[in-house]
Amino acid sequence: QVQLVESGGGVVQPGRSLRLSCSASGFTFSSYAMHWVRQAPGRGLEWVTLISFDENNKYYADSVKGRFTISRDNSKNTLYLHMNSLRAEDTAVYYCARDVGDGDYFRYWGQGALVTVSS
Amino acid sequence: DIVITQSPDSLAVSLGERATINCKSSQSVLHSSNNKNYLAWYQQKPGQCPKLLIYWASARESGVPDRFSGSGSGTDFTLTISSLQPEDVAVYYCQQYYTTPGGTFGQGTKLEIK
């Protein structure tokens, strides 16, 4: 059974940094690309970033490019999102999601981690 | 960028009645190489993560009740719930994944009981 569990959310001041983690189980983590998708309070869903199974390819939404970095540790079955220069508009629930392999739709999601950027 | 617009923004339907949610893409999401529409539907209940209902515009996800169906092609798509049940109250999102990575989501449609 695929399980994705995010951690590391919290309240952070504008301009500061935060790192989210996503612990994966129930599948061969090193075989799948992974995504982060976010949802601002009361708003819709926004794809944030993707990392290939081998970490060789990374892609970012324009809204976070240059500020966020996705990474993974396949030996620990863990996905990371390093968020720098945080802004109020980055306030959201951040979900990790597993790639399905044949298209960027999302079958497996974590429960989400809330990041609040506020002074 | 492909823009996805859902209609209506909110919808109230009586129990046992049909609910229809529309999704319109600013560009076709039908890929000529495989004749597949790169369109998915999700259900999100309060405090929960989204749940995949439909992919490739009309393929029902395993475990999803058959009262849920997806249709359409090109730029116009529909999610239909044939007989609304109390547990179907949720926000529904469509997503185009024609543009990679990640695609784009619609703004959501809130479905309530009348």
Side-chain angles (χ1 to χ4, degrees), chain B residues 27-57:
Chain B
Q27 300 173 37
S28 175
V29 298
L30 174 62
H31 211 294
S32 57
S33 67
N34 57 12
N35 205 37
K36 287 185 173 182
N37 287 285
Y38 284 55
L39 194 287
W41 289 95
Y42 301 85
Q43 175 193 66
Q44 188 177 32
K45 297 180 179 180
Q48 297 184 17
C49 66
K51 174 187 175 182
L52 178 67
L53 297 176
I54 303 286
Y55 55 100
W56 301 126

Coordinates of all heavy atoms in Angstrom, one line a residue, chain B residues 27-57:
Chain B
Q27 N -6.9 25.2 -24.9 CA -6.4 24.5 -26.0 C -6.7 23.0 -26.0 O -7.0 22.5 -24.9 CB -4.8 24.6 -26.0 CG -4.3 26.0 -26.1 CD -2.8 26.0 -25.9 OE1 -2.1 25.1 -26.4 NE2 -2.2 27.0 -25.2
S28 N -6.7 22.4 -27.1 CA -7.0 20.9 -27.1 C -6.0 20.2 -26.3 O -4.8 20.4 -26.3 CB -7.0 20.4 -28.5 OG -7.2 19.0 -28.5
V29 N -6.5 19.2 -25.5 CA -5.6 18.3 -24.7 C -5.7 16.9 -25.3 O -5.3 15.9 -24.7 CB -6.0 18.3 -23.2 CG1 -5.8 19.7 -22.7 CG2 -7.4 17.8 -23.0
L30 N -6.1 16.8 -26.5 CA -6.1 15.5 -27.2 C -4.8 15.3 -28.0 O -4.5 16.2 -28.8 CB -7.3 15.4 -28.2 CG -7.3 14.2 -29.2 CD1 -7.5 12.9 -28.4 CD2 -8.5 14.4 -30.2
H31 N -4.0 14.3 -27.6 CA -2.7 14.1 -28.2 C -2.9 13.2 -29.4 O -3.4 12.1 -29.4 CB -1.8 13.4 -27.2 CG -0.4 13.8 -27.4 ND1 0.3 13.4 -28.5 CD2 0.5 14.5 -26.6 CE1 1.6 13.9 -28.4 NE2 1.7 14.6 -27.2
S32 N -2.4 13.7 -30.6 CA -2.6 13.0 -31.8 C -1.8 11.7 -31.9 O -2.1 10.8 -32.6 CB -2.2 13.9 -33.0 OG -0.8 14.4 -32.8
S33 N -0.7 11.6 -31.1 CA 0.1 10.4 -31.2 C -0.5 9.2 -30.6 O -0.2 8.1 -31.1 CB 1.4 10.7 -30.4 OG 1.2 10.8 -29.0
N34 N -1.4 9.4 -29.7 CA -2.1 8.2 -29.0 C -3.6 8.4 -28.9 O -4.3 7.5 -28.4 CB -1.5 8.0 -27.6 CG -1.6 9.2 -26.7 OD1 -2.3 10.1 -27.0 ND2 -0.9 9.1 -25.6
N35 N -4.1 9.5 -29.5 CA -5.6 9.7 -29.4 C -6.1 9.7 -28.0 O -7.3 9.2 -27.8 CB -6.3 8.7 -30.3 CG -7.7 9.3 -30.8 OD1 -7.8 10.4 -31.1 ND2 -8.7 8.4 -30.9
K36 N -5.4 10.2 -27.1 CA -5.8 10.2 -25.7 C -6.0 11.7 -25.3 O -5.2 12.6 -25.6 CB -4.8 9.6 -24.8 CG -4.8 8.0 -24.8 CD -3.9 7.5 -23.8 CE -3.9 6.0 -23.7 NZ -3.1 5.4 -22.7
N37 N -7.0 11.9 -24.5 CA -7.3 13.2 -23.9 C -6.6 13.3 -22.5 O -6.9 12.5 -21.6 CB -8.7 13.5 -23.7 CG -9.4 13.8 -25.0 OD1 -9.3 14.9 -25.6 ND2 -10.2 12.8 -25.6
Y38 N -5.7 14.2 -22.3 CA -4.9 14.3 -21.1 C -5.6 15.2 -20.1 O -5.2 16.3 -19.8 CB -3.5 14.9 -21.5 CG -2.6 14.0 -22.1 CD1 -2.9 13.3 -23.3 CD2 -1.3 13.7 -21.6 CE1 -2.1 12.4 -23.9 CE2 -0.4 12.8 -22.2 CZ -0.8 12.2 -23.4 OH 0.0 11.3 -24.0
L39 N -6.7 14.5 -19.5 CA -7.6 15.2 -18.6 C -8.0 14.3 -17.5 O -8.4 13.2 -17.7 CB -8.8 15.7 -19.4 CG -9.8 16.7 -18.9 CD1 -10.7 16.2 -17.8 CD2 -9.1 18.0 -18.4
A40 N -7.8 14.8 -16.3 CA -8.2 14.1 -15.1 C -9.2 14.8 -14.2 O -9.3 16.1 -14.3 CB -6.9 13.7 -14.3
W41 N -9.9 14.1 -13.4 CA -10.8 14.7 -12.4 C -10.5 14.2 -11.0 O -10.2 13.0 -10.8 CB -12.3 14.2 -12.7 CG -12.9 14.9 -14.0 CD1 -12.9 14.3 -15.2 CD2 -13.6 16.1 -14.0 NE1 -13.6 15.2 -16.1 CE2 -14.0 16.3 -15.4 CE3 -13.8 17.1 -13.1 CZ2 -14.7 17.4 -15.8 CZ3 -14.5 18.3 -13.5 CH2 -14.9 18.4 -14.9
Y42 N -10.6 15.1 -10.0 CA -10.3 14.8 -8.7 C -11.5 15.2 -7.8 O -12.2 16.2 -8.1 CB -9.1 15.5 -8.2 CG -7.8 15.2 -8.9 CD1 -7.5 15.8 -10.1 CD2 -7.0 14.2 -8.5 CE1 -6.4 15.5 -10.8 CE2 -5.8 13.9 -9.2 CZ -5.5 14.6 -10.4 OH -4.4 14.2 -11.1
Q43 N -11.7 14.5 -6.7 CA -12.6 14.9 -5.6 C -11.8 15.2 -4.4 O -10.9 14.5 -4.0 CB -13.5 13.7 -5.3 CG -14.5 13.9 -4.2 CD -15.1 12.6 -3.8 OE1 -14.5 11.7 -3.3 NE2 -16.4 12.4 -4.0
Q44 N -12.2 16.4 -3.7 CA -11.5 16.7 -2.5 C -12.6 17.1 -1.4 O -13.4 18.0 -1.6 CB -10.6 17.9 -2.7 CG -9.7 18.2 -1.4 CD -8.7 19.3 -1.6 OE1 -9.0 20.3 -2.4 NE2 -7.6 19.2 -1.0
K45 N -12.5 16.3 -0.3 CA -13.4 16.6 0.8 C -12.6 17.4 1.8 O -11.4 17.4 1.8 CB -13.9 15.3 1.4 CG -14.7 14.5 0.4 CD -15.2 13.2 1.0 CE -16.1 12.4 0.0 NZ -16.6 11.1 0.6
P46 N -13.4 18.2 2.6 CA -12.7 19.1 3.6 C -11.6 18.4 4.4 O -11.9 17.3 5.0 CB -13.9 19.6 4.4 CG -15.0 19.5 3.5 CD -14.8 18.3 2.7
G47 N -10.5 19.0 4.5 CA -9.4 18.5 5.3 C -8.7 17.2 4.8 O -7.8 16.7 5.4
Q48 N -9.0 16.9 3.5 CA -8.4 15.7 2.9 C -7.6 16.1 1.7 O -7.8 17.2 1.1 CB -9.5 14.7 2.5 CG -10.2 14.1 3.7 CD -11.2 13.0 3.3 OE1 -11.1 12.5 2.2 NE2 -12.2 12.7 4.2
C49 N -6.8 15.2 1.2 CA -6.1 15.4 0.0 C -7.0 15.1 -1.2 O -8.0 14.4 -1.0 CB -4.8 14.5 -0.1 SG -5.1 12.8 -0.1
P50 N -6.7 15.6 -2.4 CA -7.5 15.2 -3.5 C -7.5 13.7 -3.8 O -6.5 13.0 -3.5 CB -6.8 16.0 -4.7 CG -6.1 17.1 -4.0 CD -5.6 16.5 -2.7
K51 N -8.6 13.2 -4.3 CA -8.7 11.8 -4.7 C -8.9 11.7 -6.2 O -9.8 12.3 -6.7 CB -9.8 11.1 -3.9 CG -10.1 9.7 -4.4 CD -11.4 9.2 -3.7 CE -11.8 7.8 -4.2 NZ -13.0 7.4 -3.5
L52 N -8.1 10.9 -6.9 CA -8.3 10.7 -8.3 C -9.5 9.9 -8.6 O -9.8 8.9 -8.1 CB -7.1 10.0 -8.9 CG -7.1 9.7 -10.4 CD1 -7.0 10.9 -11.2 CD2 -5.9 8.7 -10.7
L53 N -10.4 10.5 -9.5 CA -11.6 9.8 -9.9 C -11.5 9.3 -11.3 O -11.9 8.1 -11.6 CB -12.8 10.8 -9.9 CG -13.2 11.4 -8.5 CD1 -14.3 12.4 -8.8 CD2 -13.6 10.3 -7.5
I54 N -11.1 10.1 -12.2 CA -11.1 9.8 -13.7 C -9.8 10.3 -14.2 O -9.2 11.4 -13.9 CB -12.2 10.6 -14.4 CG1 -13.6 10.3 -13.8 CG2 -12.2 10.4 -15.9 CD1 -14.1 8.9 -14.1
Y55 N -9.2 9.5 -15.2 CA -8.0 9.9 -15.9 C -8.2 9.6 -17.4 O -9.1 8.8 -17.7 CB -6.7 9.3 -15.3 CG -6.7 7.8 -15.2 CD1 -6.1 7.0 -16.2 CD2 -7.4 7.2 -14.2 CE1 -6.1 5.7 -16.1 CE2 -7.4 5.8 -14.1 CZ -6.8 5.1 -15.0 OH -6.8 3.7 -14.9
W56 N -7.4 10.1 -18.2 CA -7.6 10.0 -19.7 C -9.0 10.3 -20.1 O -9.6 9.7 -21.0 CB -7.2 8.6 -20.2 CG -5.8 8.2 -19.9 CD1 -5.4 7.1 -19.3 CD2 -4.6 8.9 -20.3 NE1 -4.0 7.0 -19.2 CE2 -3.5 8.2 -19.8 CE3 -4.4 10.1 -20.9 CZ2 -2.2 8.6 -20.0 CZ3 -3.0 10.5 -21.1 CH2 -2.0 9.8 -20.6
A57 N -9.6 11.3 -19.4 CA -10.9 11.9 -19.6 C -12.1 11.0 -19.3 O -13.1 11.5 -18.9 CB -11.1 12.4 -21.1

